Amino acid sequence: NVCADTLRRVLLEALVQRAETGSSMLTPGDGFLPGAGGSLGKAAYGLMSTAQKGLSTATKGRISSGDHGSRTLNEEEERMAMKQRIDTGIARACATMNDLEVAVDYTRRLQDKLTQEMQGTFAAMTPETEQLNMCIKSLANTMEAYQSSSNSAMDQLISVVMSRVRSIVNECVGQESAASSGFSNVMGGVGVGVGVGGGTAAAVNVVKMNYELDDAAFELAQLSEGYLSKLCYMLDELMEPLRGHLAPRLADALLVGIIGGASKRLEMAIKRTKFTPLGALALDSDIRFFINFVKERVDAQALTSNTSLYKSCNPLARLAQIALLMNVDDLDDVLDLITSSKRKKIWDLTLGDCKTFLTLRVDFETRKVNGLLQMSD
């Protein structure tokens, strides 16, 4: 009992405090992750945006002479030292999250080991054995406490990075503020040309969400990388330094949490976009691309199917349903789609949601949409 109580109270409290400190160390901008806040965050951002230039800079430094050559080498050494500091900081912060997962595993092992030793040492069905068995079983409560704290720590980390996720989505769909737009283009040439649904780009390195497409814009969009490619690239830059150091279950939890936040932001952006039938097709293609992006990065085999992934990440499931709804050929097909999907328990959109999205189709009359969807949920 003393052992279980010590594990549940003293050690748990210490590990939770460490995890909270680790989360604060990863605050974008103020911590080790890239952002517009403190010096470390800006340094992390600078390292990301200049990573591909490092080799050429070092090469130039080697062939330079005099003070300029020494200065170039010193700058490269400083950059690598800062990179090492940031990488080490991220690894240590992630280790504080992993500690709770390790505690869950070792508490489970301790319970199993004590149970085996008790069964092999003490006579069965005696009062003393039953009392000892109850003490060992109390470790299950300790294990649940560690598991709950581990989940809470990941929720806190996801909350910490979510401001950066929202900023990334806003930039990629073309809704970033003037203050942040200059900070966050690390894509290089990805933004050049035409975005998915973007028609012709108005300026170099500008891609944004646009699904009001005619035939020419749709064909051009299929040949170019758009806002969603940029979004996935930037989300990878945010997640991969963390996922590389987190335990597999925690890495998946982080991925699902971040994708959920990004999906909510994408849904908000979709509500402000007009759609042609071809634009609806482009949306369907984009959402499929986004879903595959997530499935390629999950560690748990259970999350590689659409059904299980949608259950774990409802905002992503809603995006898939929105794409399906926006691609109906005729309004008469809407009720059949909703009814059959609800029967299969794979529909989360309310009738109000359906009205909102269907009125975005430029070829559907708002009056007919409202008249069609008058029944209650």
Side-chain angles (χ1 to χ4, degrees):
N1 283 335
V2 172
C3 176
D5 191 59
T6 301
L7 289 174
R8 185 164 57 247
R9 295 187 181 182
V10 180
L11 183 58
L12 176 60
E13 182 178 350
L15 292 180
V16 168
Q17 289 178 353
R18 278 169 49 83
E20 290 174 351
T21 302
S23 291
S24 64
M25 291 168 60
L26 295 172
T27 303
D30 295 324
F32 290 104
L33 291 180
S39 58
L40 268 178
K42 289 182 178 179
Y45 174 81
L47 288 171
M48 288 164 50
S49 61
T50 60
Q52 294 182 344
K53 301 177 183 178
L55 181 60
S56 61
T57 301
T59 302
K60 291 178 181 178
R62 294 188 187 99
I63 63 175
S64 298
S65 58
D67 293 340
H68 176 71
S70 299
R71 185 167 60 252
T72 303
L73 284 174
N74 289 337
E75 290 173 354
E76 179 64 15
E77 289 172 357
E78 290 176 3
R79 190 187 73 83
M80 294 305 297
M82 179 60 72
K83 181 179 184 303
Q84 181 64 41
R85 180 187 176 191
I86 291 172
D87 290 344
T88 302
I90 291 174
R92 288 176 175 172
C94 290
T96 65
M97 311 288 172
N98 293 337
D99 286 345
L100 285 165
E101 283 291 286
V102 172
V104 173
D105 181 53
Y106 274 83
T107 303
R108 182 185 297 109
R109 294 187 190 185
L110 178 62
Q111 183 181 17
D112 293 342
K113 181 66 173 177
L114 291 176
T115 300
Q116 291 174 5
E117 291 186 359
M118 179 198 68
Q119 292 173 348
T121 305
F122 296 91
M125 304 303 292
T126 65
E128 292 80 6
T129 302
E130 290 302 314
Q131 185 176 10
L132 182 58
N133 188 41
M134 291 300 296
C135 290
I136 295 174
K137 286 184 176 180
S138 68
L139 287 172
N141 295 329
T142 303
M143 188 166 56
E144 290 177 1
Y146 283 129
Q147 188 73 75
S148 176
S149 297
S150 179
N151 294 338
S152 297
M154 285 311 301
D155 289 340
Q156 182 179 356
L157 176 58
I158 291 168
S159 177
V160 163
V161 302
M162 196 51 63
S163 61
R164 178 61 182 152
V165 173
R166 289 191 290 266
S167 176
I168 288 173
V169 176
N170 287 347
E171 177 191 347
C172 291
V173 301
Q175 297 174 358
E176 77 277 11
S177 64
S180 64
S181 60
F183 172 77
S184 55
N185 186 10
V186 296
M187 286 294 292
V190 172
V192 179
V194 184
V196 173
T200 56
V204 175
N205 288 335
V206 174
V207 290
K208 64 178 182 178
M209 177 184 287
N210 178 13
Y211 291 108
E212 197 168 2
L213 305 177
D214 56 19
D215 291 341
F218 178 78
E219 290 181 6
L220 197 56
Q222 304 309 300
L223 303 176
S224 58
E225 294 190 39
Y227 79 92
L228 206 58
S229 295
K230 178 178 180 180
L231 172 63
C232 292
Y233 179 92
M234 296 182 74
L235 289 179
D236 254 347
E237 282 188 328
L238 176 65
M239 293 187 295
E240 286 310 304
L242 301 175
R243 285 171 47 78
H245 296 293
L246 288 171
R249 190 187 76 85
L250 299 185
D252 283 348
L254 177 70
L255 173 66
V256 170
I258 287 178
I259 293 301
S263 297
K264 289 179 181 178
R265 208 70 176 180
L266 285 172
E267 181 175 334
M268 293 172 59
I270 288 172
K271 289 180 178 179
R272 294 190 285 267
T273 305
K274 290 294 184 180
F275 286 80
T276 61
L278 289 175
L281 285 175
L283 173 67
D284 183 70
S285 176
D286 284 351
I287 299 305
R288 290 176 187 272
F289 175 85
F290 194 45
I291 292 170
N292 287 332
F293 165 81
V294 179
K295 290 166 65 176
E296 288 172 357
R297 283 155 182 78
V298 293
D299 184 77
Q301 188 65 28
L303 293 177
T304 55
S305 72
N306 286 359
T307 301
S308 58
L309 183 59
Y310 292 162
K311 288 182 179 179
S312 299
C313 189
N314 180 256
L316 186 62
R318 285 178 61 90
L319 285 183
Q321 294 163 22
I322 291 167
L324 192 62
L325 178 69
M326 295 300 290
N327 275 277
V328 294
D329 294 325
D330 191 276
L331 284 177
D332 293 336
D333 300 329
V334 172
L335 292 181
D336 288 339
L337 171 64
I338 296 175
T339 302
S340 62
S341 297
K342 282 187 173 182
R343 190 179 300 118
K344 298 175 184 176
K345 297 182 180 181
I346 56 172
W347 196 257
D348 301 292
L349 303 180
T350 66
L351 290 181
D353 293 330
C354 294
K355 287 182 182 180
T356 298
F357 291 114
L358 288 172
T359 54
L360 299 176
R361 280 277 296 264
V362 295
D363 53 326
F364 290 162
E365 294 183 22
T366 302
R367 176 181 56 82
K368 291 184 178 180
V369 172
N370 292 333
L372 180 68
L373 300 176
Q374 287 182 344
M375 67 184 74
S376 63
D377 287 311

